[in-house]
């Protein structure tokens, strides 16, 4: 069992991963591939740097998902969270996704 399944179903959201389709043999861009993913958690994480002397905290957004041997996030992926869901909108993967035995953690940045 992964980490996301431990949270209430009402906290989870289905997202669409937009993956670059590459280019055809003539160099023209292909449409993005749209991959539907279910049961994701998305939310901000508040971080305070202990050596930072500012009173301002930095908030980052992360997506969490249980392990899936058939899917891996890429650093070039974009994530679409549907309207009405928490943190709705389009996001880009920020940095390398972190894979753990109980799930994956993906940093997101607004596009």
């Amino acid at each position: 069992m992964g980490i996301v399944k431990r949270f209430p179903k009402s906290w989870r959201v289905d997202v669409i991963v937009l993956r670059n389709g590459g280019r055809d043999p003539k160099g023209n861009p292909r449409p993005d591939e749209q991959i539907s993913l279910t049961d994701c958690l998305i939310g901000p994480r508040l971080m305070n740097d202990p050596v930072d002397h500012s009173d301002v905290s930095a908030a980052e957004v992360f997506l969490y998902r249980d392990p899936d041997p058939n899917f891996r996030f890429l650093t070039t992926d974009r994530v679409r969270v549907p309207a009405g869901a928490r943190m709705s909108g389009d996001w880009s993967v920020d940095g390398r996704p972190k894979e753990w035995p109980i799930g994956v953690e993906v940093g997101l940045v607004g596009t």
Side-chain angles (χ1 to χ4, degrees):
M1 176 184 246
I3 193 167
V4 173
K5 296 283 188 212
R6 298 175 190 199
F7 288 90
K9 182 77 172 157
S10 63
W11 290 20
R12 296 182 234 157
V13 64
D14 298 344
V15 301
I16 297 174
V17 174
L18 303 169
R19 186 163 286 169
N20 188 327
R23 298 194 175 270
D24 68 16
K26 294 183 179 182
N28 298 314
R30 292 183 175 148
D32 288 341
E33 180 182 359
Q34 295 190 15
I35 305 162
S36 297
L37 297 180
T38 60
D39 291 333
C40 298
L41 280 178
I42 297 181
R45 180 176 9 163
L46 189 63
M47 299 176 59
N48 290 328
D49 186 351
V51 296
D52 185 7
H53 300 290
S54 171
D55 290 335
V56 179
S57 298
E60 296 181 352
V61 176
F62 286 89
L63 178 146
Y64 297 93
R65 187 159 190 267
D66 289 340
D68 181 350
N70 299 316
F71 182 81
R72 293 182 103 165
F73 284 93
L74 304 178
T75 58
T76 55
D77 286 342
R78 289 170 291 133
V79 177
R80 179 168 292 150
V81 181
R86 290 184 185 98
M87 311 305 290
S88 65
D90 287 353
W91 302 86
S92 293
V93 171
D94 186 26
R96 185 175 180 182
K98 295 159 188 70
E99 297 177 354
W100 304 93
I102 60 171
V104 62
E105 177 186 66
V106 182
L108 301 175
V109 63
T111 58

